Amino acid sequence: MIKTTLGFLLAATLVVLTACGEVVTPQPTVETSPTSTSILASIPTLRPTATAPLIPAAATATPTITPTPIIHVIQEGETLLSIAFEYGVSVQALQTANSIENPQFLQIGQRLIIPTGEEETGTTPGLLLPTPTPLPFGVQGIAFYETPVGSLWCLGEIANTTDVNLTNVQVHVTLLDAAGERLIETDVFAAADFIPPGERSPFGILFTTPPPAWASPQVTIIRGEAPGALADSYVPITVTETEGQPSGSQFQVSGVVQNASAEQAAGRVSVIATTYDAQGLVTGFRQGKVELEGTLAPGATASFTLLLNSHGDVPADFNVIALGRIPAE
């Protein structure tokens, strides 16, 4: 699983966590100050290598309000985050509406109720397990974007600076007023359910009705775990020949994935592309599956193409990671 960028340097400001056994628990937080239309974090962690013409910012999708519940049937390669982007709802609202405790274990064909007009403001209890041994990983590239319909996106990414694999990494975002009082808060998991050492995974939280009096945000990593036996279900995948370019109002990322295992075939391969602006802040991301004819044999390759929406100017840089899973029996 290899990251590829257009030549940027990773200089992350880390949130220090602690770990004991298999659970990683952070302590500090990252606080930022908002601007008028694009509210950006002060964490300049990447340095882009190219710029391009401007494209209009993509609008956030608005769900249809109807007395009949909106039902989404999960397809291969989809995550709660990608579904939330599609319908313009929060991941927390999806979890609550469908009684999902862990969004990493969705089933193909599973039916989800898409909530409409609801904002989840609570936190998920019982997730913090205090531990004494520090194991640092962190957040970076945090940015806040107002949408044309009045909602607010918080985008950023997790940087695994440890020497162990991570899974179930969860981020908590709080909007504060001018006095530092909490107005609204919610949690979200990283887009990648498995983050190897040195890799990065984006995350996104949508506040559908942000409080108008909010003045600053606070971002905290609240959970991360060593995957244990779950790591055996993953197949190492490398990414090469990546290219990124504007495609209408979207950004297109393409490349080639290769099964880096000497023995194990991959039954499913997904890729996650993240885009950045000239300051290294996350402007968008998308996860998609690689179309395979059966399985991806050891050493075999397959091409992929992703179209994603990004905020602001055309991305100045991008990153791609790939995750392979062993075939289902």
Side-chain angles (χ1 to χ4, degrees):
M1 307 169 189
I2 300 297
K3 62 179 181 180
T4 58
T5 66
L6 300 180
F8 61 79
L9 300 177
L10 173 65
T13 300
L14 299 181
V15 176
V16 177
L17 314 184
T18 60
C20 180
E22 293 190 341
V23 178
V24 181
T25 305
Q27 299 300 327
T29 60
V30 176
E31 297 190 11
T32 63
S33 299
T35 62
S36 57
T37 58
S38 178
I39 303 93
L40 307 179
S42 56
I43 312 179
T45 56
L46 302 176
R47 294 295 182 269
T49 57
T51 57
L54 304 181
I55 58 176
T60 301
T62 303
T64 302
I65 300 178
T66 169
T68 303
I70 301 173
I71 303 297
H72 178 88
V73 180
I74 297 177
Q75 306 297 314
E76 185 176 358
E78 288 186 323
T79 65
L80 276 191
L81 186 57
S82 68
I83 296 170
F85 264 97
E86 179 180 351
Y87 289 95
V89 299
S90 69
V91 173
Q92 184 73 17
L94 278 176
Q95 286 184 252
T96 301
N98 295 276
S99 300
I100 298 174
E101 294 184 0
N102 191 334
Q104 310 300 328
F105 301 104
L106 301 177
Q107 300 294 322
I108 296 174
Q110 181 178 345
R111 295 165 64 86
L112 296 181
I113 298 174
I114 305 301
T116 58
E118 296 182 359
E119 179 72 35
E120 292 300 322
T121 60
T123 62
T124 305
L127 290 180
L128 297 181
L129 301 179
T131 52
T133 307
L135 183 62
F137 61 97
V139 293
Q140 60 185 35
I142 302 168
F144 284 77
Y145 301 98
E146 295 176 349
T147 74
V149 298
S151 55
L152 182 71
W153 272 113
C154 169
L155 301 180
E157 65 181 357
I158 302 296
N160 184 2
T161 56
T162 74
D163 57 358
V164 299
N165 296 311
L166 294 175
T167 190
N168 287 341
V169 177
Q170 194 174 27
V171 176
H172 184 79
V173 177
T174 305
L175 300 184
L176 311 172
D177 63 15
E181 297 296 326
R182 300 180 179 221
L183 298 175
I184 191 173
E185 54 192 323
T186 190
D187 304 335
V188 70
F189 283 90
D193 54 6
F194 184 84
I195 311 175
E199 294 285 7
R200 291 170 289 157
S201 172
F203 65 85
I205 291 178
L206 177 67
F207 293 98
T208 57
T209 55
W214 82 280
S216 63
Q218 185 181 77
V219 181
T220 309
I221 299 177
I222 61 173
R223 186 175 178 85
E225 300 176 13
L230 180 63
D232 296 335
S233 64
Y234 286 86
V235 180
I237 304 292
T238 60
V239 183
T240 60
E241 302 179 29
T242 55
E243 294 183 355
Q245 59 186 352
S247 179
S249 62
Q250 296 181 301
F251 190 73
Q252 177 177 294
V253 176
S254 59
V256 174
V257 295
Q258 183 175 27
N259 186 344
S261 173
E263 301 177 347
Q264 180 63 62
R268 184 180 68 185
V269 177
S270 61
V271 291
I272 304 175
T274 307
T275 56
Y276 311 91
D277 66 9
Q279 285 72 48
L281 305 176
V282 175
T283 61
F285 67 92
R286 183 179 178 185
Q287 182 173 12
K289 67 176 181 179
V290 179
E291 296 295 335
L292 302 175
E293 295 182 1
T295 62
L296 190 66
T301 62
S303 60
F304 69 89
T305 299
L306 283 179
L307 282 173
L308 63 152
N309 296 326
S310 61
H311 297 273
D313 300 347
V314 70
D317 210 345
F318 69 93
N319 180 64
V320 181
I321 64 173
L323 303 172
R325 299 291 294 268
I326 63 174
E329 297 182 357

